Amino acid sequence: MRTRDWPIRSKLTALVVVPVTALLALWIFATTLTFGPALGLLSARTLLYDLGRPGEVVVTELQRERRLSVVQLAGTTRLPVLAEQRQRTDRAVAELRRRVDGEALRDAADDLLEARIDHLVSALAALPAGRQFIDDRSVDRSGAIGLYSGMVTAAFQAFSAMATLDDPDLNRQALALTALGRSRELLGQSDALLTGALSAGRFAEGEHTQLVQAIANQRWLVDSAVADLPEGGRAAYQRLTEGEAFTRLRTMQDALLAANRSGRPPVDAAAWQTSHDAVQQQLRDFELAEADGLTDRSVPMAVRILARLAAAGVLGLVAVVVSVLVALRLGRTLVHRLSGVRTAALELAEHRLPDVVARLRRGEQVDVAREAPPLEYGHDEIGEVGRAFTEVQRTAVQAAVDEVALRRGLNEVFLNIARRSQSLVHRQLHLLDRMERRAEDPDELAELFQVDHLATRLRRHAEDLVILAGSAPGRGWRNPVAMVDLIRGAISEVEAYDRVDITAAQPVGVLGRAVGDVIHLLAELVENATAFSPPDTRVTVTGEQVANGYALEITDQGLGMSAAALETANTRLASSPEFDPAQSARLGLFVVARLAARHGVRVRLRPSEQGGVTAVVLIPADLVTAEPPAGPDPATLSAASADPARRLARTARRGAVPRTRPPTAPRTVAAPSAPPASAPTSGGGPGDAGSAADDELEGLPRRVRRRTPAAAQPRSTVTDTPAPRSPEEVRRVMAALQAGTARGRATVTTPAAPTGPATPIGPVTPPEPPTATERDA
C-alpha cells in the first residue's frame, strides 16, 4: 500500500479515522466486558426459576422414588405407594423438560450449562428402563441406588454449571449451596441404604461400607460448604444443626458407623425415618432460602453494574464524539489551508506565470509585487510554507521578467547585427551590379554572378536574424508581382538552384506587401528540399489557384520523414512558437512559421508519392490578385530599331524569366540550362540608363550578363595566337551560343507558353527592394 501517493485529504482522514476507530473499538470492548457480567447477574434469576427450582423438585422426587424402590426390592411384593411416587416423579420431570426447552433459559445459559442440561435430560430419559429393571428384580438394592444416584448427580452437575457469576462472592455462595445440595443427596443415599437393610433385616454385602462412605462424605461436604456461606448463612445453618432432629439423626449416624457390617442396623426404623425426613426438609428449606437471597442480592448488584456501565458508556461515547469532532475540525482546517497553498501553486504555474510571460513578451510592464501577493496562512509550519512559496512566486515572476528582458536585449542585439549585415550586403550587391556592368571577360562575369548569388543567400540568412528577433525584413514592394517571378526569386536564393524545376504555375499576382516574406518562405522550403534529397534528384515546384487562395507544392525525392516527425513539424509550422536556441537545427521551420503567421499563410508537410516530402503552401485569397500585365517597355519601343543590341539584351533578360500572356491557362516555365557566356551588344555602356531601365521591367528586377560594347573595347595592336580550349570551355561557349540563339528567335516572334519539360533555372539574382523614389511614386 503506497500511502505516499494518497491525496492529503485521504492521509488526514486516515490519520483521524484510525485513532478514533481504535478508541471506539476499545470503548465497545470495555462496554462488552462490563455488560457481560451485568447480564450474567440478571440471568441468575432466570437460571434459578427455570432450572434450579424445577431441578430441585426432580431431585427430591427421585430421592423418594429411590427409597421406595429399595424397600420394594428388599421385600417380596410390589408397593402401591411406589406407583404413586413414580407419577409424581414423572410430573416433575415433565415440568423440568418444559422449562429447559424454553428460549429464556437457553439464552441465559452458556455452552457448558447447555451441555450439562442435555446430559441431565438424557439421564432422565433412562428412567423408564430402570424402573422396568426394578420391577423385574433384575437389579439388587445397590444397583437401584446407583441408577437413581446417577440421575441426581447429573442434576447437581447442571446446578454447578449455573455458578458462573462474575462476582466472586456470589459465585462462591452459589457453589456452597450446590455443595449443601450434594450433602443432602448423600444423606438421601444413606437413607436408602439403611431403609433397605432395615426392611431385609440385615446389611447386604458391601452395603455397610457404602453407608459409612456416604455419611463421611456428607459430613465433609457440609463442613466445606458452610465455610463458604456468608456470615448470616453460617449462623442460620448453625442454629439449624442445633435442633433436636439434627441431634437425633447425628446420634443414629454415629451408631451406624460402629455397627456390625453383616448384622441388623442398630437403629429404630421409625425414629430414623422421622429424624431423616425432618432434617431433609429443613436442609431443603435452608437451601431454597439461601438461593432466593443470593438471587435477590445479584439483582441490585447487576443494576449497579448497569448504571456504572451506562455512565461509562455515555462518557466514552461523548469522548469518542468529541474526538471525532475535534479531529474532523482540525483535519478540515489543515486540508483547507493545504488546499489553499496547492491552489496558489497551481494558479502560479498554470495561469499567472504564463500570463506574466506573455504580457512581458507583448512589451507590457509587470509589477512583481502585484503579480506575486503574499500568502497568509498563519504562523505555524503551513504558514511558513506559504511564506516560502510567496518568495518562490516573487523569484519566479522576477526571473520571468529578467528572462524576457534578456531575450528582448538579445533580440535587439540580433536585430542590430542583422541590420548592419543587411546594409553591408545591399552595398555589396550594388557594387557587384556595377562590376558586372563593367566586366568584359565572360569568365570573370560568371564568377561575379557566383559572388552575386552568394551575397543574395547571405542577405536571406541575415533576414533570418531579423525575423527571429521579431522584426520585419527591409524588402518590400508597392505593386503586385507575378507568381512566377516570385517563385523564380525564391529559387535564385537557393544554392542548388539548378536542381529545381517549375513544372506548372497558374498565372496570378501577389500583393506587394507580402512579396518579400513569401519569397523568403519559399526559399527556406526549397532549400530544405534540396538539402535533404540526393544531389542527383530533382525538386519540383507547382502552383495552382484554389478556392481559398493559391496553393504551391514543393516536392523532393529524399528519404522523407517519419509520421511523428511530420506531426511535430506541422505543429511547429501551425503555431508559430517562440524561437528556442536549443532547436537551432530546425531554424528554417521557425522562420517559415513566423513568416506564415505574419500573412496568414498556411504551410503543411506531407509524405510525397515519390518517397520524399511535399511542402504545401496555401497563400490566402486576400493576398492573391490578377497577374500584373507584362506590357511593352516604352524605352524598348523607342530604341528597338535604332539599337538592336539593347533589344537583344532585353530579350535575353526576358528569356531568363518567360511570361505567358493568356492569364487563364496554367503554364510550364523553363529557363536556360546555363547562363549565357556573353551577350553581344552594339550600343550603350555599363552605366547606360537605358540598360538600367531594362533591368527594372516586368515585375521583379533581374540582372543579366552583358558585355561592354565592342567600340568601347581597347584594340590590341598585337595579334594573339589563339590558345587551345578545354572541353569544358567549349561546352560553355556552345551552351551560351545556343541560349543566345533562342533569345534571338524570341525577339522575332511572340513567345508562347512552353510545353516541353521544365529545365533548371540559371543563377538569376533575387529581386532588389524598391528605392525610396519608387516607394513614394
Side-chain angles (χ1 to χ4, degrees), residues 27-109:
W27 175 76
I28 294 175
F29 180 71
T31 304
T32 303
L33 289 180
T34 309
F35 192 65
L39 290 180
L41 292 174
L42 292 176
S43 65
R45 180 177 292 273
T46 301
L47 296 177
L48 176 63
Y49 287 101
D50 287 347
L51 179 60
R53 291 294 179 85
E56 191 275 333
V57 173
V58 170
V59 169
T60 301
E61 298 299 333
L62 285 175
Q63 290 173 348
R64 292 172 180 174
E65 183 178 341
R66 178 178 58 189
R67 181 175 182 276
L68 294 175
S69 297
V70 173
V71 172
Q72 178 175 303
L73 289 175
T76 58
T77 60
R78 292 190 177 185
L79 299 176
V81 69
L82 178 58
E84 296 176 1
Q85 179 60 42
R86 286 178 177 178
Q87 292 178 0
R88 290 191 294 270
T89 303
D90 290 340
R91 288 193 295 269
V93 171
E95 177 65 17
L96 176 63
R97 286 178 176 174
R98 186 182 68 82
R99 293 294 185 91
V100 298
D101 290 337
E103 294 183 359
L105 178 61
R106 294 291 181 175
D107 293 339

Side-chain angles (χ1 to χ4, degrees), residues 496 499-500 525-540 554-560 610-613:
R499 290 175 49 208
V500 184
L525 295 176
V526 171
E527 186 172 55
N528 281 346
T530 58
F532 293 100
S533 60
D536 56 346
T537 59
R538 311 295 299 174
V539 175
T540 60
I554 303 170
T555 305
D556 61 62
Q557 302 178 22
L559 296 178
Q610 301 175 356
V613 175

Side-chain angles (χ1 to χ4, degrees), residues 117-141:
I117 292 174
D118 294 338
H119 177 65
L120 173 60
V121 173
S122 300
L124 293 175
L127 182 59
R131 288 172 177 174
Q132 187 63 39
F133 290 147
I134 294 172
D135 292 341
D136 296 340
R137 295 184 180 275
S138 299
V139 294
D140 55 4
R141 298 193 303 268

Side-chain angles (χ1 to χ4, degrees), residues 459-469 520 524 587-588 591:
R459 178 180 61 186
R460 177 167 60 86
H461 293 316
E463 288 179 354
D464 287 346
L465 290 177
V466 176
I467 294 170
L468 294 178
H520 196 146
E524 294 289 347
L587 184 62
V591 174

Side-chain angles (χ1 to χ4, degrees), residues 27 46 96 334 360 461 463 483 487 490 668 715 751:
W27 175 76
T46 301
L96 176 63
L334 290 176
L360 288 172
H461 293 316
E463 288 179 354
M483 180 62 71
I487 297 173
T668 302
R715 295 180 175 272

Side-chain angles (χ1 to χ4, degrees), residues 204-254:
E205 185 179 357
E207 286 183 345
H208 184 267
T209 302
Q210 294 179 6
L211 179 62
V212 172
Q213 292 177 351
I215 294 173
N217 291 334
Q218 181 258 334
R219 292 180 176 180
W220 179 82
L221 282 176
V222 168
D223 294 337
S224 61
V226 171
D228 291 332
L229 291 176
E231 184 176 356
R234 290 197 300 270
Y237 188 81
Q238 184 66 29
R239 289 192 298 270
L240 184 65
T241 57
E242 292 175 354
E244 182 181 359
F246 270 89
T247 303
R248 289 199 306 265
L249 182 63
R250 188 173 187 85
T251 301
M252 287 185 284
Q253 286 180 341
D254 293 339

